[in-house]
Amino acid sequence: LPGLHILAFVFALEVSVGKTNTVMALNNSDVLLPCTFTTCIGFQDLVFTWYFNSTELIYHGKIKSKASEPVLVGRNPRVEFVGSTTGKDNNISIVLKNVEFSDAGKYTCHVKNPKEKNAQHNATIFLTVVQKMVETDNTLTLIIVGVVGGLIGLLILFMLIKRVVLFIIKKTQDGKKECLVSSSGNDNTENGLAGSKAEQKAPPKA
């Protein structure tokens, strides 16, 4: 029945890491890995886990109901839970402390809700670790803008020249057509055909 499919879709568990799934962090800094979940029918004894590169479990928590905050089951010592599930959003974000280059990779936030027949879903964040944040060089930006602007200018100039050339060619071709018409008229007359020469010489009416 179509109605059952609609109900299943409405009750679906959703997990999100926000608008972008990429995060950049400085070496030796702390980085927030955001994650929220939504469910239309609520949750009971919900389980959530964070994985590093799909296999390494770095945080495991349980939430009894909407009225209670998560209970820690297990975690990596460098991971701290910073979310809240009693507020407006079901926030299960974590902070990874003292980030190292080896921490770069894929982080998956996984949620399982027994109330929705153990419906489960996940969302992924890709973390990049850098030595220092590089500021964008405005000079380079200006050069790029200048080059692009110059190219656009050249393109417009080319299009204008092309139109002028095409116009001249068209005029030349029109002139040639006129020549062809008059010469064909002469040829017809010379060949004894009823040409247009006599018609052309007809005196204009007053």
Side-chain angles (χ1 to χ4, degrees), residues 59-205:
Y59 196 94
H60 183 194
K62 281 187 179 179
I63 315 164
K64 189 163 182 63
S65 68
K66 180 69 181 170
S68 60
E69 289 291 351
V71 175
L72 170 68
V73 177
R75 71 180 175 105
N76 181 299
R78 288 171 49 227
V79 175
E80 183 185 341
F81 181 80
V82 291
S84 173
T85 50
T86 55
K88 185 182 175 184
D89 297 319
N90 294 316
N91 190 330
I92 48 173
S93 304
I94 58 170
V95 166
L96 183 60
K97 297 193 168 188
N98 300 319
V99 172
E100 300 169 1
F101 290 110
S102 58
D103 292 322
K106 183 173 80 169
Y107 289 81
T108 307
C109 173
H110 186 274
V111 181
K112 183 179 177 183
N113 186 14
K115 198 171 182 179
E116 288 184 70
K117 294 184 177 179
N118 279 329
Q120 49 192 313
H121 213 283
N122 61 62
T124 303
I125 295 175
F126 294 93
L127 175 67
T128 307
V129 183
V130 294
Q131 186 58 48
K132 62 177 182 178
M133 295 292 187
V134 180
E135 289 182 16
T136 51
D137 188 351
N138 289 334
T139 312
L140 183 62
T141 308
L142 287 171
I143 289 167
I144 291 166
V145 168
V147 168
V148 171
L151 287 171
I152 292 167
L154 281 171
L155 185 64
I156 292 166
L157 185 65
F158 172 74
M159 285 172 75
L160 284 170
I161 291 167
K162 188 181 172 187
R163 287 190 74 171
V164 170
V165 169
L166 285 172
F167 179 75
I168 292 165
I169 291 168
K170 189 176 184 296
K171 278 289 177 190
T172 309
Q173 284 177 344
D174 287 347
K176 282 181 180 177
K177 279 179 189 172
E178 285 170 16
C179 294
L180 288 168
V181 168
S182 59
S183 64
S184 65
N186 292 339
D187 291 345
N188 289 345
T189 313
E190 284 167 15
N191 293 335
L193 297 168
S196 58
K197 208 169 189 180
E199 289 167 13
Q200 286 171 4
K201 285 187 176 179
K205 289 181 182 178

Side-chain angles (χ1 to χ4, degrees), residues 13-16 35-38 43 46-51 63 90 92 108-113 118-123:
L13 176 71
E14 287 186 13
V15 181
S16 172
C35 184
T36 58
F37 69 87
T38 55
F43 55 88
L46 181 139
V47 176
F48 68 97
T49 45
W50 277 91
Y51 292 97
I63 315 164
N90 294 316
I92 48 173
T108 307
C109 173
H110 186 274
V111 181
K112 183 179 177 183
N113 186 14
N118 279 329
Q120 49 192 313
H121 213 283
N122 61 62

